[in-house]
Amino acid sequence: MFLLSSEQSWLRIDLSLIIAWGLCLVQCRNSKMAAEEKEARLEKMRHSAAHVMAEAVQSLFQGTKFGIGPAIEDGFYYDFELPRALVPDDLPTIEAKMKEIIAANAAFAKEEMDKAKALQFFSDQPYKLELIEELPDETVTIYRQGSFVDLCRGPHVNSTGNIGAFKLTSIAGAYWRGDEKRPMLQRIYGVAFDTQAELEDYLARLAEASKRDHRKLGKELDLFSLHDEAGPGLVHWHPKGALVREIIEDFWKKEHRKRGYDIVYTPHIAKVDLWKTSGHWDFYRENLYSPMDIEGQEYIIKPMNCLGHILMYKTQLRSYRNLPLRWAELGTVYRYERSGVLHGLARVRGFTQDDAHIFCRPDQLEAEVTEVVQLACFMLDTFGFHDYELLLSTRPEKYAGTIQSWEEATEALRKVLQCLELGYTIDPGEGVFYGPKIDIKLRDALGRLWQGPTIQVDFNLPQRFDVNYIGDDGSEHQVVMVHRTVLGSMERFMACLIEHYAGAFPVWLSPVQAVIIPIADRHLDYAHHLAGELREGGMRVQVDDRSERMNLKIREAQLGKVPYMLVVGDKELDSSTVSLRLRNGEDLGSLTASEFMSRVKSVIEARVPDKL
RNA sequence: GCCCACAUAGCUCAGUCGGUAGAGCACGUUCUUGGUAAGAACGGGGUCACCAGUUCGAAUCUGGUUGUGGGCUCCA
């Protein structure tokens, strides 16, 4: 890592290394520590690989200006300003040069340099100068290997020969210091591991993961589509995808009613003045679509569902006795998203939030948030997600409300997370302008995180819209509003769900739970009769009555990830049974329709992800 | 929006040096009635994303537009 933070973090790193070594010496490390140690070692090696890549680029391109080049998960990157745009063909050339440098096995030499000298030394490197100027200390460290010298905090491997197997994977544009107002540099990403075998294993896993891509599976399984003609980021749900969505929504509604939510509907457009009052017109303008004129009045399509709920709340005087009110809506919203960020179902321009707004008294906030977090965890758990991250986002630079109210609400959220003993990290300054929030992020097939459930405290809207209740003292008090989703949006949730199961949905979610496969036309009547019986029992069943061979029908059901295949031929017809094949390839032989039904019913009721 | 790449039949993809396009699957018709992952034959289907330009001639070269992919920034 580069010297971007204080001397204290230097110390921390060095100490942690010394401690790690010490523990190693007394041989009391357990596997977790061994893993951490390996991670630290890999990070050092990957960071060194970034330096080697920089040296290779320097030797290939005159006048390269260097940005930063850290280790990242599985690899490294380095940002450069180059005389020309990189093309994919450049990567093998750079790789070859890197291999030469590694073969030369030059030592990584650390040097200290005082700041003034460093400024002189890096005088033709504007980005490095900027970094040096921001460093608090009077001396900086540089690392030298071969002909390449870089400003760097270290640590590094001893010499370039200690770099393991690596591969440069992609080139990308990246703004200097992540600021879109600053120059865009060219970033080269690479991956690096100790051994060639580990590298190949990683690349194989990557290829495997891309088979789970929801965009690919969405097409293959006929779940949804997006269309140039309709516009980017606008999802069309095909019957099977719509069915999965409907099952999720039905489940969602039932679970909400159980927990004291009421379900409401609000319109998709509203007068723009409403959004001016709310602050969205000022704070959220860049995500709003242009107003449309209706009889001389300007309307916009809603980017959020909250305002409708507020208007409904205000149709009556509300007593403290009647709070909290929990109003839920599967509300479809439209937001302008910049074209470069759209991604299948995971990031779109029109989506349906599984939204709800809780209007409560301040003293109820903690209990309400607790229940919402529990509900979100219950939902994720039910759908089979166990690997997610909780984040507590605190007050941003631009905020509404008083510092005191922010602190109280943030403290309430923190307390909830602690009481529930959920591991979480703080995301400083990442709250919404109207209040702090808890976000839950889900992983897609490639390990990228997507924000799903979110729980946001809001001080702004109750104040702007005078959202009040009559307290036990007979006077008006402002409510606290909680905006929350427990899935996120139907679109993004579906994306994560598809990737999580690689398209093989658990039985309760499968759009087609069973395909009946008659062997010959004379079994068609029996097949349709069976289908009727199973449908009567609530199953989603299809009969593959084409005049195709059984093998083809099995193959297609298998590729369609249908959990159960019921083969019926003479034998089954005679004995009034079905021959059951599972999508994992298992052949369970024959059983009666009712035996099959009771098996499936128990699987469905349990909602166990991987059981058939 | 920005950087790089890509766009050929419904889908997955070939298409050499610039000379008016091909496969497999899917679809249609016919034959086949087959016991646990692809039965066979024949047939229909393309303004090579769109708009310009260069050229005797463009899927192919150039520019622009739209869309897609990987990043960056931003977010459910």
Side-chain angles (χ1 to χ4, degrees):
Chain A
M1 297 297 281
F2 286 99
L3 273 167
L4 289 171
S5 53
S6 65
E7 196 165 4
Q8 281 86 342
S9 58
W10 254 96
L11 270 175
R12 232 177 285 135
I13 285 177
D14 287 349
L15 273 174
S16 69
L17 279 173
I18 291 163
I19 289 165
W21 287 332
L23 290 173
C24 178
L25 285 173
V26 295
Q27 304 217 319
C28 67
R29 59 180 163 170
N30 55 27
S31 62
K32 191 183 164 200
M33 282 160 52
E36 278 170 11
E37 207 177 284
K38 182 176 180 183
E39 224 19 73
R41 188 167 48 75
L42 273 173
E43 187 180 328
K44 194 165 73 169
M45 186 269 277
R46 286 166 179 156
H47 181 193
S48 301
H51 277 229
V52 168
M53 178 166 77
E55 182 180 351
V57 169
Q58 183 185 48
S59 74
L60 292 166
F61 296 90
Q62 293 296 311
T64 302
K65 307 276 187 265
F66 296 91
I68 61 166
I72 52 172
E73 198 177 351
D74 300 321
F76 57 92
Y77 68 78
Y78 210 116
D79 288 343
F80 309 99
E81 186 185 292
L82 297 169
R84 67 162 173 86
L86 287 170
V87 293
D89 283 345
D90 290 325
L91 294 184
T93 315
I94 297 168
E95 268 180 20
K97 195 78 200 172
M98 286 174 71
K99 282 182 181 148
E100 280 175 31
I101 294 166
I102 288 170
N105 199 18
F108 278 94
K110 180 176 171 180
E111 280 173 40
E112 298 215 338
M113 199 180 257
D114 69 58
K115 216 165 159 176
K117 195 178 165 208
L119 289 171
Q120 183 64 35
F121 187 85
F122 287 106
S123 59
D124 60 340
Q125 289 292 337
Y127 304 107
K128 295 296 176 191
L129 289 179
E130 187 178 325
L131 295 173
I132 294 168
E133 271 161 10
E134 287 177 18
L135 289 170
D137 309 316
E138 274 317 299
T139 52
V140 301
T141 54
I142 61 167
Y143 274 83
R144 190 186 292 275
Q145 101 266 1
S147 61
F148 181 70
V149 187
D150 202 356
L151 171 73
C152 179
R153 185 174 56 194
H156 280 284
V157 294
N158 291 334
S159 63
T160 58
N162 293 322
I163 289 165
F166 73 94
K167 181 177 166 62
L168 302 185
T169 50
S170 62
I171 49 181
Y175 299 110
W176 169 237
R177 312 201 88 173
D179 184 343
E180 66 177 324
K181 291 183 187 68
R182 311 203 59 182
M184 179 163 275
L185 306 180
Q186 300 192 66
R187 176 172 298 178
I188 304 177
Y189 282 97
V191 292
F193 294 88
D194 285 330
T195 63
Q196 186 67 24
E198 282 172 290
L199 173 65
E200 276 164 22
D201 185 54
Y202 169 82
L203 294 173
R205 270 185 290 131
L206 210 62
E208 204 53 41
S210 74
K211 289 184 193 158
R212 306 171 81 101
D213 190 316
H214 74 277
R215 293 164 299 184
K216 187 174 150 70
L217 287 168
K219 204 179 280 179
E220 285 172 8
L221 301 177
D222 194 18
L223 300 173
F224 64 88
S225 57
L226 295 145
H227 301 270
D228 284 15
E229 302 92 316
L234 301 170
V235 181
H236 297 67
W237 295 76
H238 296 205
K240 281 182 190 158
L243 184 49
V244 178
R245 174 172 166 173
E246 190 189 351
I247 296 160
I248 297 170
E249 290 183 352
D250 287 347
F251 176 74
W252 183 92
K253 285 182 191 166
K254 214 175 77 204
E255 293 301 322
H256 278 74
R257 294 218 188 266
K258 264 194 216 169
R259 288 168 174 76
Y261 283 82
D262 292 308
I263 289 169
V264 300
Y265 298 97
T266 61
H268 289 197
I269 58 171
K271 287 184 185 169
V272 75
D273 289 351
L274 194 63
W275 302 98
K276 286 179 179 163
T277 307
S278 69
H280 288 92
W281 193 252
D282 296 322
F283 285 99
Y284 205 67
R285 182 72 160 274
E286 60 176 26
N287 289 86
L288 302 179
Y289 289 106
S290 310
M292 57 190 117
D293 182 290
I294 300 177
E295 292 183 334
Q297 292 279 349
E298 288 192 319
Y299 286 71
I300 60 165
I301 189 151
K302 68 174 172 182
M304 292 178 181
N305 302 302
C306 34
L307 301 197
H309 296 189
I310 289 175
L311 294 178
M312 293 193 292
Y313 179 95
K314 285 168 64 81
T315 58
Q316 296 177 20
L317 271 188
R318 306 284 175 180
S319 158
Y320 73 97
R321 297 170 188 277
N322 297 328
L323 299 184
L325 285 178
R326 306 184 190 98
W327 287 351
E329 175 174 10
L330 290 161
T332 304
V333 298
Y334 290 86
R335 299 180 185 174
Y336 168 70
E337 299 284 355
R338 303 207 272 181
S339 57
V341 307
L342 300 173
H343 182 90
L345 290 188
R347 186 83 181 266
V348 293
R349 285 183 174 161
F351 55 99
T352 300
Q353 293 182 299
D354 66 303
D355 210 355
H357 294 93
I358 299 171
F359 299 90
C360 67
R361 307 189 304 260
D363 64 288
Q364 294 172 319
L365 179 64
E366 214 173 291
E368 287 305 309
V369 171
T370 301
E371 285 188 23
V372 173
V373 174
Q374 285 174 323
L375 175 57
C377 292
F378 165 75
M379 284 285 176
L380 296 183
D381 195 50
T382 304
F383 287 99
F385 292 103
H386 306 295
D387 178 24
Y388 47 80
E389 288 188 14
L390 279 104
L391 295 166
L392 173 60
S393 301
T394 57
R395 183 164 48 87
E397 277 176 33
K398 254 168 74 178
Y399 64 96
T402 63
I403 294 219
Q404 198 203 337
S405 58
W406 270 88
E407 276 171 3
E408 281 170 13
T410 309
E411 191 45 39
L413 296 183
R414 191 198 313 274
K415 220 166 137 191
V416 168
L417 291 172
Q418 268 160 6
C419 287
L420 293 175
E421 294 184 336
L422 294 163
Y424 66 96
T425 46
I426 303 250
D427 212 353
E430 287 303 307
V432 217
F433 72 90
Y434 49 72
K437 61 173 181 168
I438 295 171
D439 287 332
I440 302 183
K441 298 196 175 193
L442 306 177
R443 284 185 186 281
D444 71 9
L446 290 170
R448 294 175 293 206
L449 289 169
W450 294 93
Q451 183 175 326
T454 180
I455 302 154
Q456 310 179 341
V457 181
D458 187 348
F459 321 116
N460 176 56
L461 290 178
Q463 194 204 335
R464 283 174 181 258
F465 282 96
D466 263 325
V467 189
N468 299 322
Y469 63 93
I470 309 298
D472 60 358
D473 58 356
S475 62
E476 284 193 342
H477 300 269
Q478 203 175 88
V479 301
V480 177
M481 253 182 104
V482 178
H483 308 245
R484 46 109 289 176
T485 65
V486 294
L487 302 175
S489 71
M490 300 315 296
E491 287 75 9
R492 181 173 292 176
F493 192 71
M494 182 66 104
C496 291
L497 204 59
I498 292 168
E499 305 207 348
H500 185 66
Y501 290 116
F505 294 110
V507 180
W508 73 288
L509 291 170
S510 289
V512 179
Q513 292 169 321
V515 172
I516 299 179
I517 298 174
I519 288 179
D521 287 351
R522 64 179 176 281
H523 310 122
L524 281 177
D525 284 348
Y526 179 57
H528 284 291
H529 169 78
L530 265 175
E533 203 174 314
L534 295 174
R535 284 191 193 115
E536 199 69 27
M539 278 194 71
R540 298 185 288 274
V541 182
Q542 285 181 357
V543 179
D544 191 342
D545 53 12
R546 295 172 302 166
S547 75
E548 292 290 350
R549 297 184 62 206
M550 178 203 64
N551 294 296
L552 182 84
K553 295 177 184 179
I554 286 175
R555 177 181 158 80
E556 290 189 356
Q558 195 83 41
L559 292 175
K561 321 227 181 216
V562 176
Y564 303 108
M565 281 148 266
L566 305 175
V567 177
V568 295
D570 291 334
K571 207 171 74 188
E572 289 75 19
L573 187 58
D574 291 342
S575 58
S576 298
T577 58
V578 297
S579 178
L580 175 60
R581 182 195 161 100
L582 307 180
R583 76 175 158 207
N584 62 16
E586 229 178 306
D587 182 353
L588 295 188
S590 52
L591 63 174
T592 66
S594 66
E595 281 169 343
F596 171 65
M597 279 291 288
S598 63
R599 177 195 178 101
V600 176
K601 273 207 168 128
S602 72
V603 172
I604 289 174
E605 273 160 26
R607 296 202 180 87
V608 188
D610 303 320
K611 205 173 156 194
L612 291 175

